[in-house]
Structures are given as C-alpha cells and as structure tokens.
Amino acid sequence: MILGIPKEILDNELRVAALPETVAAYRELGFDVLVQAGAGAGVLVSDEEYQQAGARLAPDAASLYGAAEVIVKVKQPWRDHASGRDEVEMMRPGALLVSFLHPAAQSNHAMVKQLAARQITALTMDDIPRISRAQPMDALTSMSTVTGYKSVLIAANRYAKFVPMIGTAIGTIKPARFLIVGIGVVGLQAVATAKRLGAVVEVSDIRPAVKEQVESLGGRFIDLPLEESGEGSGGYARELSKEGLERQREVLTRHLAQADVVITTAQVPGKRAPILVTTAMAEQMKPGAVIVDIAAEQGGNCELTRADETVEHHGLLVLGPTNLAAGMAGDASVLYARNVAALLLHFVRDGELAIDPADEVLAGALLTHQGEVVNQTVAGLLAASRG
C-alpha cells in the first residue's frame, strides 16, 4: 500500500505531515512511502533524508496523488496553482486522506462535497475525540500547545515595553499585565509562557473548574458571576446565553482597562467564536496595548479583529493570526507527524487499514466515507447552506 506525503500548498504553510522518523515507522508497518520533492523544505528536511529513511520521491503533486492510496497532509486540500488543478481532483478515487480539514468552515464546504463525490475516505484531525486512548493522536492539542506559546511571543514582540520587571540604576520598570481569555490548551500554554517571561497574568474563563489549573501555573483566576454552567461536552466550553455573555463582558471590561496585553482564545466547536471584546470595550484599553485574537479564523473574540491582519484602533493593536503553528514549523511538524502516525497505527491490521466506522476514535474523526458525508454535524451544515 502506497502512502503519500505531499508538499503543502496553502500560503505560509511550512509544516509537513511526516518526517524521516515517521517514514521509517510507516515502512516497518509495510507501507511503500512516496514523498513529493521539496515536501520537507519548510522544516529544513532534505529529500535525501527522506530517501535515507526508505521513502521514494515523486517529482510533483499529480504523480504523488495519482499513486497514493493513503495520503497524509497538514491542511485541507486546495487548488494547486502549479498544475491548475484541485488537489482532490488529483487523488485516486477511494483513497484515504488524513489531514486537518476544518469541515465546519463554510469556505471548505465545496471541498467536503468533492471528497465525498470522489469516494475519498477522509479523517479530519481536528475532530479526534478527547479520550484517553486517543491522546497520542490528538493533533488539535499538539498544535494548540504551539499556538499558545507563539501567541505570547508575538504579543511581546509587538508590545512596545518590557514584559518582566526590570530594575535599573534609575528606577524600576513594572512588569506587563497579561489577560488571557479562555483556558483550553492554548490558554494554559499562554499563561505558562507569559509567566516565564515575567508578566503578571490574569485569566478569565466561563468554567470555574479550570481555576485550579490556572493557579498552578501562577495565574490569577477572575471569578465570573454567572448563573449558568459554561461546561460543554468533551472538556470544551459551551456557548453562553445572551444574559451570561453580557455579565462576562461587564467583568472583562474592568480588567481590560488594566491590561497591557490580551490574548483571546474562546471558541465553540462548529460555531462562530463569541465576541467577548466589543469595540466600545476595546476603546477603554490603554494606548499601546496589544490584543492577539487566536479565534480569528472563527470570526474572532474581538469585534475589531480581521483574520491575518493587524488593526490599529485608537492606539490599540489587534492581531488576528490564523495559523500560528506554521510559525514554529519545525517542532509543530514533529508533534503532528507523530500524531498522524499514531492514528494510522491504530487502524493497521495485518498490514492493511481496517476502517471500522463503529470504532470510537474513527467515529469522531471520520468525515466522508463511501461517497457520503458521515459526520452528521457537517452534513447538517451542508444541507443548511443549500437551503
């Protein structure tokens, strides 16, 4: 069985879905591994290193997709400007695709339909269930760790003052005050990184259960006077009522006025990110303050956010990065490649892939199979967009 590793073609995507160490593991499982020339260039891994690990080289995307029965990618298939063809169109009918596919995003609905029409069995890495035995496959957590770390570095770089307390012969400079909104994996890593840099860190989350985690990292948890639970399924937050959202904003407004840097991470699976920082709230922040909105790809937590842009408003900088993990492509690729390998290892039986839709891990990640969109949430979104 031929496993293909293409070169990513989305703008600024430097990661790769497999490295020589996982190529060697795939070879031991019985795969014939095909790597597109230059696939590892973004992480400084040469074609020769892949060959030394046992892979063969494909000169271009068309030859790789035409041969591969299993395809491992980082980001969703897109249009290959080099050939003028969509990546899905180049795939063998009936192939297995493993990638981040972001199927809930409206911009990807046409791609999901293409996958089903081409009989591609697609596993989306952003829907690996958060269960104990799936932890080695949980790429969303891996990439969130990278994102949380990188978000603090970007914020510190754009903030025009020191982050830690600095003592000098002519006086002491106070440490920067960071406010982290939303404590998932991204938020926790942001808290830890900001504390390492010497910031004073406050944290807001609608789930009181995360308070202990925040305090264990040295952050100060902001208690919210909510009359409803913010706990959702699978460890995620859920969407608050209109009244609950207003209470949250009231509390945040007071803390925003004191913050030098704000990192917002709040997202609700399958829905637009909640707007937690309105324009009026942002205008009460200090001149020179920085907001890094990690939820930009889902619309943003700040009303001023524009995806992949920096907005200047009344002396405030609002950054809306959508792919921070690609900014640390080396370690991000190491983590992701191991996640993908763990997933495929889970389904290899006697040298063959056993696709069992009833499997708990597969049931969460399976998007399209045998010509159908089997993820019911995504199928519902597609039906709604047609209606």
Side-chain angles (χ1 to χ4, degrees), residues 15-16 142-143 146 324-337 339:
R15 291 171 293 176
V16 64
S142 295
M143 296 305 99
V146 179
L324 285 179
M328 295 193 65
D331 281 342
S333 293
V334 170
L335 295 172
Y336 183 71
N339 291 144

Side-chain angles (χ1 to χ4, degrees), residues 278-337:
T278 65
T279 299
M281 292 166 66
E283 288 175 352
Q284 296 185 42
M285 295 181 66
K286 304 173 185 178
V290 177
I291 295 177
V292 178
D293 192 341
I294 301 304
E297 194 166 18
Q298 284 188 243
N301 295 141
C302 178
E303 196 171 18
L304 294 167
T305 299
R306 299 292 178 268
D308 291 319
E309 294 182 20
T310 297
V311 175
E312 296 186 33
H313 184 82
H314 291 198
L316 173 70
L317 289 181
V318 183
L319 284 63
T322 61
N323 192 8
L324 285 179
M328 295 193 65
D331 281 342
S333 293
V334 170
L335 295 172
Y336 183 71

Side-chain angles (χ1 to χ4, degrees), residues 217-267:
L217 294 172
R220 189 176 77 80
F221 188 76
I222 300 169
D223 291 311
L224 297 175
L226 299 177
E227 297 177 0
E228 59 188 289
S229 172
E231 294 286 349
S233 60
Y236 293 98
R238 71 170 184 84
E239 191 172 21
L240 290 179
S241 66
K242 183 179 179 180
E243 294 76 16
L245 181 57
E246 286 302 318
R247 290 193 191 95
Q248 184 182 17
R249 286 175 177 171
E250 288 174 11
V251 175
L252 280 178
T253 299
R254 297 195 296 270
H255 293 272
L256 286 168
Q258 301 299 318
D260 299 302
V261 173
V262 177
I263 296 176
T264 63
T265 75
Q267 300 181 56

